[in-house]
Amino acid sequence: MLIVVTIICLALIGFISWWFFGHHEEESKRAQQKSGYQEIQIEVMGGYTPGTIVLKKDVPARIIFHRKDPSSCLDQIVFPDFGVHADLPLNDSYVVEITPHDKGEFGFACGMNMMHGKMLVE
């Protein structure tokens, strides 16, 4: 019995270490180029999918959020570096239009700043 408990404890310690300290691959997606702008869709369900989006510098962007999660935490989207603070309708799409003029990494989050995403501008 002691051996079983020891194995379970070691497995649990291993899992916790992996969960908190492991390098997890984050899903990223590049915006599709359309005529005169770039477009990408993000599903809002327990977070943002994809969690990282890639845009091109100086090209107008349409970021389409489709919120499926009914929780009040995810009912808003905030891009602090771009002055965007918008309500996301449930089971519908909302388009955020921005033109990133600087290369770099920019964050976006829910209205409560608990769920985060990342925008990479190349």
Side-chain angles (χ1 to χ4, degrees):
M1 182 67 175
L2 181 61
I3 293 174
V4 172
V5 171
T6 303
I7 291 172
I8 290 172
C9 288
L10 288 174
L12 191 58
I13 290 170
F15 175 75
I16 290 170
S17 296
W18 171 81
W19 182 262
F20 286 105
F21 303 113
H23 180 71
H24 304 284
E25 286 295 319
E26 189 174 281
E27 181 185 355
S28 67
K29 190 171 181 184
R30 191 170 297 276
Q32 293 181 344
Q33 301 301 308
K34 307 269 180 159
S35 56
Y37 65 95
Q38 54 191 328
E39 183 176 280
I40 190 160
Q41 294 194 22
I42 298 177
E43 180 180 292
V44 182
M45 183 64 184
Y48 303 106
T49 304
T52 301
I53 59 174
V54 182
L55 302 177
K56 291 189 180 214
K57 177 182 175 246
D58 294 325
V59 178
R62 294 178 44 132
I63 306 168
I64 303 167
F65 288 89
H66 187 78
R67 178 175 158 232
K68 296 180 179 179
D69 193 317
S71 72
S72 61
C73 179
L74 290 163
D75 66 357
Q76 295 181 333
I77 189 68
V78 179
F79 283 81
D81 296 307
F82 296 89
V84 173
H85 189 140
D87 293 327
L88 298 177
L90 183 60
N91 295 320
D92 203 357
S93 295
Y94 183 85
V95 179
V96 172
E97 294 184 355
I98 59 173
T99 303
H101 294 295
D102 297 315
K103 291 183 178 183
E105 183 176 305
F106 304 92
F108 58 92
C110 67
M112 296 178 167
N113 201 26
M114 294 173 64
M115 301 292 183
H116 299 91
K118 192 174 4 178
M119 179 174 69
L120 304 176
V121 179
E122 301 177 332

Coordinates of all heavy atoms in Angstrom, one line a residue, residues 1 32 69 99 121:
M1 N 0.8 -1.2 0.0 CA 0.0 0.0 0.0 C 0.9 1.3 0.0 O 0.5 2.2 -0.7 CB -0.9 0.0 1.2 CG -1.9 1.1 1.3 SD -3.0 1.0 0.0 CE -4.1 2.3 0.4
Q32 N -4.9 36.1 -42.5 CA -5.0 35.9 -43.9 C -5.1 37.3 -44.6 O -5.8 38.2 -44.2 CB -6.3 35.2 -44.3 CG -6.3 33.7 -43.8 CD -7.5 33.0 -44.2 OE1 -8.5 33.6 -44.6 NE2 -7.5 31.7 -44.1
D69 N -18.7 31.7 -25.0 CA -18.6 31.5 -23.6 C -19.6 32.5 -22.9 O -19.4 33.7 -23.1 CB -17.2 31.7 -23.1 CG -17.0 31.2 -21.7 OD1 -17.9 31.5 -20.8 OD2 -16.0 30.6 -21.4
T99 N -5.0 49.2 -37.1 CA -3.8 49.2 -38.0 C -2.6 49.3 -37.1 O -2.3 50.3 -36.6 CB -3.9 50.3 -39.0 OG1 -5.1 50.3 -39.7 CG2 -2.7 50.3 -40.0
V121 N 3.2 41.6 -34.1 CA 3.2 42.4 -35.3 C 4.6 42.3 -35.9 O 5.6 42.6 -35.3 CB 2.8 43.8 -35.0 CG1 2.9 44.6 -36.3 CG2 1.5 43.9 -34.4

